[in-house]
Structures are given as structure tokens and as C-alpha cells.
Amino acid sequence: MKTTDRAALDEWYAVATAAELGQAPVVTRLLGQDIELCRDEAGAPVVREILDDGGRSRALPAQERYGCVWTTLGRPNKDIFDIAESHEADRRFVPCGWVRMRASGLRVVENFLDMAHFPFVHTDILGSEPHTEVPRYLSEIRRDVDEVWATNCTFFQPRIAATESSGDFVHLTYRVPSPFVVMLYRVCPSAPDRLDAIALFIQPIEEDLCRAQPVMYLVDATSTDTALLNFEQVIFLQDRIIVENQRPLLLPLEPRLEIPTRADGSSVAYRRWLKEKGLRFGTTGAH
Ligand SMILES: [Fe+2]
């Protein structure tokens, strides 16, 4: 059933990989609502909300951005967020494909923000024992842009990226530009004056079901597409196991239900921001 959650409805969502969409219609689901996607004869994406079994439907806004087709079931008060790195001509653009997960999309965002799990979940890739401590970092709700950011993050990583085979402390910045999108900026190992940008687009299907696609804008002239994809997919499949085993599947926003530690600063800011927005879809709050 389509949600009545205004805060969730009034956002943009990536709902298809642009390169995979042709003129043949495909049906998918967003926020509990069936939608149909295709391209018109000029190649422009078309998205429709299916209103009933009789085939009545309503046209929805459709935009192509960052290798995906985006739509909304509501009336967003701003355009799709900008990824500055997407405009740089020498970037490698790597869409990594959709992964379906039995969990709230909000849980997926929160897991992406969490550095403390690196040594235990991504052992010998993004973290390793005994380097388990998350050094102090800053997290904030940026009121001017209405986004959550975590800055000055550092963590010891044994591999860092597909190009690297030795470990070092990496510098990371996290950004949450909308409730179901999360980004990571990482100092690029092969060009230390630039940042690799990795975004995770989440399509909330039901409250406790979503699919997510990582897309990367990298400065990396050497790795093959396959190596880049494999690196990301190994990490993401490790995350899926963790996210699907969290209970409850929905994200609690009540501050006392899960006791935060210092490492959870970004999660605390994220939950507070969701609560301020009045977002309910995918949370344990009253519906
Ligand atoms: Fe992870």
C-alpha cells in the first residue's frame, strides 16, 4: 500500500539504471506503490504511477541523473542533489548494480555511515584488528543545505581501494543529501589532492524492503571496470548480511532504544534529522 508519509513522498528516488531502460515497460515499486517505467520514442524516460487494476495511471516527474532514472510520488521542494564530481570529465563513472535487501533503506544508510564495523565485517579490506578504534570526528546537520555531514573522519584501512595493496589511515567525509541517499568522499589514493566520490542510491520498496545501488566517480586510470566492480560488490554483499540481520528491521528514531557510542555521532545526527523532517517510512515510529 502506498505510504501516506508526506516527508517520504516529497523526495526524489533513483528507481532504475538508465542504461537498462528501453521502450519496453518495466514495473517496480516505490514506497509501497507500483510504478511503471519506459522510454518514449525520443528516448526520454517516462514514469507512471499505477492507480488500479484497470490500468489507470498517473504521470510522474522523471529525470535522468548519475546513470539512473529518478522520480517522485510527491512534490519535492528542491531538485535532485548535486554531485560536483559528476561534472569532471576525467572521472571514471562506475554504476555497481542494484542489490535487494530485506531491511529498511534507512538502516542501509546508517550502516554506510558506520566506520566501527569495518574491521569486523570488511576484515582485511576496509579494516583489520587491532585497528578497531574510530577516532573522533565531527557530525552535523547543515541547515543551509538541509543535509547531514560527517567530517574529519579517519580510519586505518588495509586496502583502501582497488588500486591499493597496502594499508594506511584514510580520510573520509560522509554526506547524506536526502533520507535515502548517502555519499562517501575519500582521498584518492592515486591523486591525493582529489576525492573519490561514492554514492549509494536507495529505492525504498516497502518499509522493510529496499534495493540499493552504489555508483562511483573515481580518479583511477589503471583499474579495469571488472576490478572496480568486484571490489565494491564484495564489500556491499558483506554489508547486506549485516543489515538484513539487524532487529528491528525498521530504524528506531527514539533516542534511548539503541545506546549510541562516540563512534555513532553521524547516526545520532541522521536520526535527529529524520525525526525533524517527520519521516516515518522505514522507521519503528507510529504509522
Ligand atoms: Fe560496510
Side-chain angles (χ1 to χ4, degrees):
M1 203 171 70
K2 179 180 172 182
T3 185
T4 56
D5 180 353
R6 208 63 251 171
L9 291 168
D10 290 344
E11 294 285 349
W12 290 98
Y13 296 95
V15 290
T17 303
E20 291 169 358
L21 187 64
Q23 288 190 4
V26 290
V27 173
T28 183
R29 205 164 169 78
L30 176 64
L31 300 170
Q33 171 64 48
D34 281 340
I35 59 175
E36 190 177 70
L37 294 83
C38 65
R39 288 187 187 278
D40 66 18
E41 274 160 24
V46 175
V47 184
R48 302 190 69 83
E49 174 179 10
I50 300 170
L51 296 174
D52 58 33
D53 294 342
R56 285 195 314 131
S57 65
R58 172 176 84 102
L60 297 177
Q63 298 196 57
E64 219 165 313
R65 199 79 63 90
Y66 316 132
C68 289
V69 176
W70 296 71
T71 192
T72 177
L73 289 162
R75 285 183 294 276
N77 62 12
K78 56 183 183 184
D79 196 9
I80 300 167
F81 62 95
D82 190 45
I83 301 178
E85 293 74 14
S86 71
H87 311 300
E88 297 174 5
D90 65 339
R91 293 264 170 183
R92 294 276 294 279
F93 173 62
V94 187
C96 300
W98 295 100
V99 175
R100 191 178 168 96
M101 281 172 284
R102 175 54 70 180
S104 163
L106 307 172
R107 283 281 195 198
V108 178
V109 171
E110 202 175 71
N111 175 70
F112 191 91
L113 291 171
D114 171 44
M115 285 174 281
H117 77 279
F118 287 169
F120 310 106
V121 177
H122 310 297
T123 310
D124 298 333
I125 306 174
L126 298 184
S128 64
E129 293 188 84
H131 309 282
T132 56
E133 191 184 314
V134 178
R136 187 174 292 278
Y137 62 94
L138 302 171
S139 50
E140 59 180 334
I141 301 172
R142 293 194 179 167
R143 302 290 171 185
D144 53 337
V145 285
D146 191 25
E147 297 182 353
V148 175
W149 283 72
T151 54
N152 281 17
C153 309
T154 54
F155 203 80
F156 183 88
Q157 296 195 334
R159 272 207 65 198
I160 308 178
T163 48
E164 304 303 298
S165 54
S166 64
D168 203 350
F169 279 90
V170 286
H171 296 263
L172 307 170
T173 300
Y174 290 91
R175 172 190 181 196
V176 186
S178 88
F180 291 90
V181 175
V182 58
M183 291 191 62
L184 168 66
Y185 298 95
R186 155 190 84 189
V187 173
C188 174
S190 54
D193 56 331
R194 302 179 73 186
L195 300 176
D196 282 335
I198 299 166
L200 186 65
F201 303 147
I202 294 159
Q203 174 182 345
I205 297 169
E206 304 287 355
E207 298 226 48
D208 60 356
L209 181 67
C210 67
R211 60 176 195 161
Q213 168 148 229
V215 307
M216 308 193 284
Y217 289 94
L218 307 179
V219 182
D220 180 342
T222 54
S223 301
T224 63
D225 277 350
T226 310
L228 291 171
L229 259 177
N230 285 350
F231 186 81
E232 193 58 28
Q233 283 178 348
V234 165
I235 290 167
F236 205 47
L237 293 175
Q238 291 171 334
D239 281 318
R240 181 168 75 169
I241 296 168
I242 297 306
V243 168
E244 290 193 334
N245 282 290
Q246 285 181 318
R247 292 294 177 276
L249 289 172
L250 305 184
L251 185 74
L253 297 187
E254 300 77 5
R256 279 174 304 152
L257 279 184
E258 290 176 4
I259 310 297
T261 68
R262 198 186 72 197
D264 296 331
S266 53
S267 149
V268 171
Y270 176 57
R271 291 186 186 195
R272 183 179 304 144
W273 182 65
L274 295 176
K275 196 161 186 149
E276 285 178 12
K277 287 182 174 301
L279 191 117
R280 290 176 287 112
F281 191 87
T283 77
T284 57
H287 291 269

